[in-house]
Amino acid sequence: MFGGLSPGISHTVSKTISESDVYLFAGIVGDLHPNHVDAVYAAKHLGGRVAHGALLPGFISRCAVELIGNALDETGYAAQQFTVKCLAPVFIGDTISVRVTLRELNAERRKVELDAEIHRQDGVLCAIGSKTIKILRSRDA
C-alpha cells in the first residue's frame, strides 16, 4: 500500500514569494486585506506586505506530493486534513523553504501523517503544521 515509504523520510521545496503570487491568491479567495495589497498600510503596520497565511498549506501540499510521488498504490489519495500555525510573517520577496517529514503510516486506517515546517531565507521559522493524507479505496472494491 505504501510503496516503500517509511517514517522519517522528508522532502524540501523552496519558493520565492512574488507580488503576483499574493495578488493572484487575493483575487482567487477575495482576501484583499491591506496587509497583503496596500504597501503603505503594510509598511506602517508590519514592515511590508505579507503573503496570506492561508497560502502556506498549498506549499505544504506541493511538498507532500513530491515526497510521496507515485509511491502510493494506484487507487490514489486525497488530502484529508491540514493544520498550520503561523509564527512569523512571510513577506513578498522572501524565499521560503518548506520541509515535510513523514511521521506515520497507518495501513489499517489507510492514512499517511506528515509534519511540516516553513522557514524564511533568514532562518526564521514562519509556520509549523501537519497534513493527513487518506489512501482512497478502489471503486472496484
Side-chain angles (χ1 to χ4, degrees):
M1 174 184 291
F2 295 119
L5 295 175
S6 61
I9 64 170
S10 64
H11 182 66
T12 302
V13 298
S14 295
K15 167 78 168 102
T16 300
I17 303 301
S18 71
E19 187 169 14
S20 294
D21 296 326
V22 172
Y23 275 102
L24 288 168
F25 188 83
I28 290 167
V29 301
D31 180 352
L32 300 171
H33 191 280
N35 286 346
H36 313 299
V37 300
D38 184 328
V40 173
Y41 177 92
K44 178 179 176 183
H45 296 282
L46 298 166
R49 287 180 296 152
V50 297
H52 300 75
L55 184 60
L56 301 178
F59 295 114
I60 293 170
S61 184
R62 171 192 166 194
C63 194
V65 166
E66 290 182 14
L67 174 67
I68 62 176
N70 294 321
L72 298 179
D73 73 20
E74 63 208 38
T75 59
Y77 55 92
Q80 189 173 44
Q81 181 176 334
F82 280 100
T83 62
V84 175
K85 182 175 182 178
C86 296
L87 304 171
V90 174
F91 295 95
I92 293 174
D94 279 343
T95 299
I96 59 170
S97 293
V98 181
R99 180 181 178 97
V100 171
T101 303
L102 198 155
R103 176 175 18 99
E104 182 180 346
L105 299 167
N106 186 324
E108 183 178 314
R109 297 184 67 210
R110 300 184 342 272
K111 290 188 180 186
V112 177
E113 302 282 345
L114 304 159
D115 292 321
E117 291 186 351
I118 300 175
H119 291 84
R120 291 191 314 228
Q121 71 280 349
D122 58 4
V124 170
L125 179 62
C126 296
I128 56 173
S130 63
K131 179 176 181 173
T132 302
I133 295 171
K134 183 77 166 188
I135 311 299
L136 302 176
R137 293 185 195 275
S138 171
R139 290 186 179 248
D140 300 333

